Amino acid sequence: MHMDSEKKQTILFVDDEESILSVSSEYFQRKGYQTMTARTGPEALEILANVTIDCCFTDINMPQMNGLELAERIRSQDNTMPVIVMTGYPSLENAIQTIKNGVVDFLIKPVNLRQMELCVQRVMQQRKMFAENVLLKKEVEGKQRLQKLNQELLVKVKELNILNKIMKKFADISSSTDVFKRAVDMALGISHADDTHFYVINEAVQEPVQVSSSSSASTKSIDPAVSGRVLTPPAADAKRLSDTLIMEVVSDQIPLLISEHAGSNGLPAEIRSAMIVPLKIRHKVFGVITATVNQGEKRFAEKDLYYLSFLAQSAAQAIENLALYENIYENLFATLYAFVTAVEARDLYTRQHSSRVTGLSIVLGRQLGCSKEQLDILNFAGHLHDIGKIGIRDDILLKPGRLTVDEFEKIKEHPVIGANILDQLGLWEKERQIIRAHHERFDGSGYPDGIKQQDIPFLARILSVADVYDAMASDRAYRKKMEDALIIKIINEGDGTQFDPDVVAAFNQAYNSGRITAYMKTGEIE
Ligand SMILES: [Fe+2]
């Protein structure tokens, strides 16, 4: 097998249940991994001190030391070690604690082996990327040291200053578009070129596509459209380097310097001097930065190429960091949604509720002309609107009959608990407000804050209609689902009291056009 040629990866399983240890060990051995097992946290730490482990799965509930404590101990010794926690009963504290302790993933029991395997592959990939970034940094440091030896003090100081500036410029960037724009602006500044461009080229984009550019002739007023995703048509850009030249650099993956125009080197007549530097993300060319001199005496030298290469590398690093960051967000959302699913799954009657509420909200949102961003927020908030139910005791949450007044008061805490979860993570402010307000009523008689009309976030007013519709349109433990005609009547009776009249109007339109029924039947939004 192909695994034999490389070093086998070793996975440590920690669980107080013997059967889980043996089943998972056997499975992963068959898949070409080496495995170790421990029945307690201390036993696991003992193994970790003596054996090189690549990844660790642990149960949460174990005698002596629980899994989260173990994760924390591991992290304090090696913060790159992926720890995956498995538990049968996710709770709010566990969720928060888990993220704090640096656990990389969370699986809810019963976990299947294939799921575990995919998880291992994912975390190993992430760990490898992390290691590569560290190596990359070392390489850059080495290069800088070499330069120091070779050059005079003055040049050296200036150089470090430039490199430092490059790294700083990319450190606080928040979108890939900014990276492109900043890269071309900096390239112009450090190379004293007349024009710099950023082209994206990869498998999806066969021809170089310009995504950003900067020019010494027009630096004071760069068209904002150029810095965005709007592409400049190549025809408008007479001094463009030929695609052939760019594609050459892409396939060789080596920076190209044409210091002086010399007839047959492929440079268009109007360009005197040029550099093309590939930008690689995980060994694959993603795009190029080009710099050209079209007039004057300036000619590019090796040094300029070195700066530009360094700049491209920093830009690539920034893009990669962004991708990692976005990935972490996605993972966190997936983890939180897994909790919602787990809560819903315990009650046969609420299964898929959040997912349907999301779909219905989007149907209504579209009817109301919501923007793409608003629909994204609805998608997120819809899936997580009831996440606060994690904090409500099962005997209340799953009670089949009527709730007492006290019990209902407890249930009413869920919007606040949900908002607090997002607040503790310090993320998703807009979504947090919607989750908090999804049980407010238009006339101010709802909970938890009793706010009314325009004080209730618009998207929460949409979500509220969708939530109530789905609750009535599905079976519950204590009643059958209601007839559509009755639901429509109830929703319209709530017009202006429970619900925003605009949303009710949109609901009626969507219902009459058949979109609500179609969604409930197929789960697909037309
Ligand atoms: Fe709710």
Side-chain angles (χ1 to χ4, degrees):
M1 254 189 64
H2 68 282
M3 294 285 302
D4 293 341
S5 55
E6 328 170 0
K7 189 183 140 296
K8 279 187 177 182
Q9 285 171 323
T10 309
I11 307 175
L12 172 64
F13 298 94
V14 191
D15 204 303
D16 53 345
E17 253 178 81
E18 184 66 43
S19 61
I20 290 184
L21 293 178
S22 61
V23 169
S24 22
S25 267
E26 202 194 296
Y27 179 83
F28 277 90
Q29 278 169 18
R30 247 191 299 128
K31 293 285 176 177
Y33 294 89
Q34 225 146 18
T35 63
M36 302 281 297
T37 59
R39 276 153 209 81
T40 63
E43 202 182 310
L45 289 171
E46 171 90 37
I47 292 174
L48 283 158
N50 298 301
V51 184
T52 310
I53 299 292
D54 296 291
C55 175
C56 173
F57 279 94
T58 177
D59 186 22
I60 285 199
N61 297 316
M62 294 182 297
Q64 292 182 54
M65 182 189 289
N66 76 36
L68 295 176
E69 226 180 303
L70 175 64
E72 204 182 349
R73 294 278 290 273
I74 294 176
R75 190 166 120 105
S76 68
Q77 282 161 21
D78 174 4
N79 65 5
T80 69
M81 163 84 63
V83 179
I84 300 150
V85 158
M86 303 185 291
T87 180
Y89 304 98
S91 73
L92 171 60
E93 290 112 87
N94 280 355
I96 303 295
Q97 206 53 47
T98 303
I99 293 155
K100 278 192 190 150
N101 284 14
V103 166
V104 298
D105 220 320
F106 208 99
L107 296 177
I108 294 167
K109 281 179 170 180
V111 177
N112 73 45
L113 292 160
R114 179 68 187 139
Q115 211 179 347
M116 286 170 77
E117 194 190 352
L118 289 174
C119 194
V120 168
Q121 285 164 359
R122 194 171 60 236
V123 299
M124 292 297 199
Q125 179 64 26
Q126 280 169 355
R127 193 182 196 200
K128 209 169 126 233
M129 271 166 59
F130 182 81
E132 274 169 8
N133 286 351
V134 172
L135 289 179
L136 211 68
K137 269 191 208 127
K138 278 198 183 128
E139 204 178 288
V140 170
E141 278 161 16
K143 237 185 203 160
Q144 281 174 271
R145 266 200 301 279
L146 205 68
Q147 293 275 339
K148 267 184 209 166
L149 292 170
N150 292 342
Q151 288 171 346
E152 290 171 30
L153 185 69
L154 208 64
V155 183
K156 200 173 55 193
V157 169
K158 188 181 155 218
E159 174 165 303
L160 283 174
N161 198 2
I162 291 175
L163 300 183
N164 216 354
K165 225 160 61 187
I166 293 174
M167 294 210 277
K168 269 213 196 99
K169 279 276 180 189
F170 287 110
D172 56 44
I173 236 157
S174 65
S175 91
S176 359
T177 315
D178 292 346
V179 177
F180 303 145
K181 185 64 192 126
R182 219 170 279 192
V184 290
D185 283 350
M186 285 220 77
L188 194 77
I190 59 168
S191 69
H192 303 287
D194 291 323
D195 287 305
T196 52
H197 297 271
F198 195 117
Y199 297 96
V200 167
I201 314 147
N202 51 39
E203 284 131 4
V205 188
Q206 297 291 335
E207 274 173 40
V209 175
Q210 180 182 312
V211 291
S212 210
S213 73
S214 194
S215 164
S216 61
S218 62
T219 31
K220 61 235 172 277
S221 63
I222 286 161
D223 181 354
V226 176
S227 69
R229 262 176 299 144
V230 180
L231 310 175
T232 312
D237 183 14
K239 298 195 181 68
R240 179 191 165 94
L241 284 163
S242 71
D243 283 2
T244 333
L245 216 50
I246 292 175
M247 292 315 283
E248 237 175 74
V249 172
V250 171
S251 63
D252 297 348
Q253 306 204 1
I254 296 169
L256 175 75
L257 169 66
I258 301 177
S259 187
E260 184 68 58
H261 194 289
S264 63
N265 52 17
L267 216 54
E270 62 276 14
I271 295 175
R272 311 278 170 84
S273 185
M275 297 190 285
I276 307 177
V277 170
L279 188 137
K280 286 188 259 185
I281 291 182
R282 271 172 266 155
H283 310 298
K284 271 197 180 155
V285 175
F286 167 80
V288 297
I289 298 179
T290 67
T292 53
V293 171
N294 313 318
Q295 58 211 350
E297 299 308 308
K298 165 84 187 173
R299 297 292 176 264
F300 295 128
E302 283 292 332
K303 182 175 250 327
D304 298 307
L305 192 67
Y306 169 71
Y307 288 149
L308 197 62
S309 302
F310 185 88
L311 189 145
Q313 203 176 31
S314 305
Q317 183 80 60
I319 293 169
E320 206 163 307
N321 287 345
L322 279 173
L324 267 178
Y325 199 57
E326 280 159 16
N327 206 347
I328 288 166
Y329 272 50
E330 264 170 35
N331 279 343
L332 204 51
F333 173 75
T335 306
L336 292 173
Y337 187 54
F339 284 105
V340 173
T341 319
V343 171
E344 288 179 349
R346 285 182 300 172
D347 181 349
L348 192 63
Y349 298 101
T350 60
R351 262 179 213 175
Q352 300 289 313
H353 169 69
S354 298
S355 152
R356 282 194 307 267
V357 169
T358 306
L360 289 166
S361 299
I362 289 171
V363 170
L364 296 179
R366 283 197 186 162
Q367 185 75 47
L368 285 156
C370 283
S371 67
K372 165 95 174 58
E373 196 205 343
Q374 286 177 310
L375 294 176
D376 283 346
I377 295 173
L378 270 180
N379 183 37
F380 184 104
H383 278 107
L384 299 184
H385 76 280
D386 272 343
I387 191 169
K389 288 191 174 165
I390 271 175
I392 312 281
R393 289 204 327 265
D394 278 1
D395 56 316
I396 300 178
L397 200 60
L398 303 178
K399 186 172 171 181
R402 269 192 92 81
L403 297 171
T404 66
V405 174
D406 281 353
E407 286 167 346
F408 189 54
E409 284 303 313
K410 278 273 167 236
I411 291 270
K412 278 162 72 177
E413 287 172 8
H414 80 269
V416 175
I417 298 173
N420 285 347
I421 292 176
L422 294 204
D423 196 36
Q424 284 179 57
L425 298 170
L427 300 171
W428 303 304
E429 176 55 26
K430 284 182 187 144
E431 290 81 352
R432 190 184 70 78
Q433 289 173 6
I434 295 166
I435 290 171
R436 186 177 174 101
H438 80 272
H439 283 291
E440 297 291 356
R441 293 168 57 111
F442 198 65
D443 61 8
S445 65
Y447 60 87
D449 299 309
I451 48 176
K452 63 180 172 188
Q453 299 183 9
Q454 312 306 318
D455 292 340
I456 307 169
F458 175 53
L459 300 179
R461 286 178 255 148
I462 296 178
L463 191 70
S464 142
V465 173
D467 192 14
V468 171
Y469 175 83
D470 183 68
M472 293 193 283
S474 41
D475 292 329
R476 286 291 143 107
Y478 44 91
R479 62 155 170 77
K480 277 274 169 208
K481 68 175 171 198
M482 293 155 83
E483 292 293 332
D484 256 10
L486 181 57
I487 304 177
I488 306 304
K489 186 166 164 272
I490 294 175
I491 286 182
N492 278 279
E493 278 166 6
D495 186 331
T497 52
Q498 182 167 6
F499 305 120
D500 180 341
D502 291 343
V503 182
V504 173
F507 173 85
N508 288 332
Q509 279 162 6
Y511 187 83
N512 292 333
S513 69
R515 278 195 290 270
I516 302 263
T517 318
Y519 172 74
M520 292 299 277
K521 216 175 263 165
T522 64
E524 263 157 49
I525 301 166
E526 280 172 27

